[in-house]
Amino acid sequence: MVTTPLLPSDYLDLVSPLRAGADLRGRIEAVHPETADAATLVIRPGRGWRRHTAGQYVRIGVDVDGRRLWRAYSITSPTDRQDGRITITVKAIPDGQVSNHLVHRARPGTLIRLDQPTGDFVLPHAKPAKVLYLTAGSGITPVMGMLRDTEVDDVVLVHCAPQPQDVLFRDELHGLVADKKLRLTEVHTAMDGRLDVARLGELVPDWAERETWACGPAGLLDAAEEHWTDNGVRERLRTERFRPRIVVAGDGGAVTFSTTGKTVDADGATPLLDIGEEAGVLMPSGCRMGICFGCVTPLKAGAVRDLRTGEITEAEPGVLIQTCVSAAAGPCDIER
Ligand SMILES: Cc1cc2nc3c(=O)[nH]c(=O)nc-3n(C[C@H](O)[C@H](O)[C@H](O)COP(=O)(O)OP(=O)(O)OC[C@H]3O[C@@H](n4cnc5c(N)ncnc54)[C@H](O)[C@@H]3O)c2cc1C
Ligand code: FES
């Protein structure tokens, strides 16, 4: 009663935000620019943080212009970092709310929310004899986490970026090459054009024998999945996508967020998560690509389309939808 309307924990948060028992938080302790549009953030996780496996990602909640937004970022630090801190490396994308905030405006001392690390884009316990990493742009981040953590005898990295100065971690990668710990091919797409995955054999003749981890834009990953499948070695390829694979769009409709009392028009291609956020509705979210279920919300009326499969879900009592991969399929009512 003494502290109403705040809870005692709110006061504890002021003096000890990283204490055990509090919602898991982290403090940004440093921001290191990597390229013109990317930076590495050094984060001290609070008590209760569980050690990650190299290649995994963490969801972070950041306050941007008064709104808490959640996004996923691969952990780029090795698992045995002595000071207990972790790093993520963020590339600012055009109009990206969180990525621009983190790269250009985040300051040491800022508190963020953290989830426990998760993800299965990791090396197996038994180290493969020969590894290929195939990455583009910011897709190198989970692979950098693995390179820094686990030595593999025979490892090749093919990495695509527009120009040499856009290659994240370039000096460190060349250091690994000099130490004979890595064979590296950089594809500079502004000069050489996009990598033709069907001709990967010209760069890595034994690619089909290698256990492969690929991360990058949808075009690269779709081409890789096709190439590995056509050559009968699909089981050797693991991919990590930063955005959902959207295959279909349909009719939109008027979307009502009945708890907030707002109705807005939506097209049939934009996720309801974006529609709600744009309208100022408090929308829970996480990975924004259909994997974490952090956005599930009751569908009270109408129908929505799963943007990955085209499947239509109609409202029924108790039916939940993932707003990050669902768009309006006619008028609908979302319980937010
Ligand atoms: C498992 C996982 C790991 C990830 N790891 C990293 C990482 O290590 N480093 C990193 O920089 N990012 C990573 N991402 C992507 C990250 O979560 C955000 O999607 C990204 O930072 C964009 O967020 P934003 O708020 O800036 O953009 P938003 O404001 O959400 O989007 C702005 C516009 O950009 C489009 N957009 C959204 N995401 C992307 C994208 N990834 N590429 C191109 N266009 C996009 C949107 O459709 C929208 O039109 C990861 C994503 C996942 C799912
Ligand atoms: S935000 Fe992760 S499943 Fe929708």
Side-chain angles (χ1 to χ4, degrees):
M1 283 173 66
V2 172
T3 65
T4 304
L6 296 174
L7 297 169
S9 60
D10 294 325
Y11 289 94
L12 282 172
D13 283 352
L14 289 177
V15 288
S16 183
L18 304 185
R19 73 188 186 281
D23 285 338
L24 189 55
R25 289 181 172 81
R27 181 183 284 119
I28 299 175
E29 294 199 334
V31 181
H32 302 300
E34 294 279 355
T35 62
D37 59 0
T40 290
L41 281 75
V42 182
I43 298 166
R44 178 171 301 283
R47 299 231 171 80
W49 169 258
R50 290 196 287 271
R51 197 165 120 149
H52 72 285
T53 302
Q56 286 190 316
Y57 65 91
V58 57
R59 296 191 324 128
I60 69 170
V62 192
D63 294 335
V64 182
D65 300 330
R67 281 196 298 157
R68 169 78 43 88
L69 300 175
W70 286 86
R71 299 289 186 271
Y73 292 100
S74 307
I75 301 172
T76 46
S77 46
T79 55
D80 60 354
R81 194 176 152 129
Q82 291 306 307
D83 62 7
R85 299 188 295 176
I86 58 164
T87 60
I88 58 171
T89 303
V90 181
K91 185 172 186 304
I93 58 167
D95 300 326
Q97 297 183 77
V98 174
S99 58
N100 281 283
H101 179 84
L102 292 175
V103 172
H104 300 301
R105 295 191 290 280
R107 295 285 167 263
T110 306
L111 285 177
I112 56 173
R113 287 286 307 277
L114 289 181
D115 248 5
Q116 295 294 349
T118 185
D120 52 13
F121 191 72
V122 297
L123 290 167
H125 286 301
K127 273 194 284 181
K130 293 165 100 176
V131 165
L132 168 62
Y133 295 128
L134 175 62
T135 59
S138 58
I140 196 169
T141 51
V143 163
M144 199 65 210
M146 292 193 254
L147 281 171
R148 284 174 172 162
D149 191 76
T150 314
E151 269 189 38
V152 175
D153 289 341
D154 181 349
V155 52
V156 176
L157 166 63
V158 176
H159 179 65
C160 309
Q163 303 186 72
Q165 61 267 34
D166 301 313
V167 174
L168 283 170
F169 318 115
R170 191 158 192 257
D171 291 347
E172 191 174 341
L173 292 172
H174 283 264
L176 290 174
V177 172
D179 293 344
K180 303 209 172 350
K181 291 182 174 163
L182 173 70
R183 272 187 285 154
L184 170 68
T185 299
E186 289 180 31
V187 179
H188 301 134
T189 52
M191 279 90 84
D192 312 335
R194 281 203 184 157
L195 172 71
D196 180 358
V197 176
R199 295 175 62 184
L200 183 65
E202 294 170 18
L203 302 176
V204 190
D206 61 353
W207 67 272
E209 294 164 23
R210 292 177 177 271
E211 296 300 325
T212 299
W213 280 259
C215 185
L220 176 76
L221 299 185
D222 291 348
E225 284 173 2
E226 195 181 318
H227 189 52
W228 262 254
T229 303
D230 290 350
N231 285 276
V233 286
R234 179 65 184 83
E235 72 288 351
R236 297 237 163 102
L237 174 70
R238 297 97 181 144
T239 55
E240 173 103 304
R241 288 173 189 267
F242 284 180
R243 307 186 68 194
R245 190 189 336 209
I246 288 184
V247 293
V248 279
D251 298 334
V255 181
T256 301
F257 296 93
S258 44
T259 312
T260 320
K262 285 195 174 155
T263 299
V264 287
D265 280 332
D267 62 35
T270 308
L272 291 164
L273 176 58
D274 294 353
I275 299 285
E277 285 180 346
E278 199 54 40
V281 178
L282 199 59
M283 303 289 290
S285 72
C287 64
R288 308 180 79 87
M289 59 169 299
I291 51 179
C292 75
F293 290 83
C295 62
V296 288
T297 296
L299 175 66
K300 278 178 69 181
V304 300
R305 184 185 307 272
D306 188 314
L307 290 163
R308 301 163 300 178
T309 60
E311 203 174 294
I312 300 282
T313 300
E314 291 183 0
E316 275 174 47
V319 87
L320 297 170
I321 56 160
Q322 288 169 279
T323 60
C324 69
V325 286
S326 304
C332 54
D333 185 338
I334 313 293
E335 199 174 302
R336 285 285 165 210

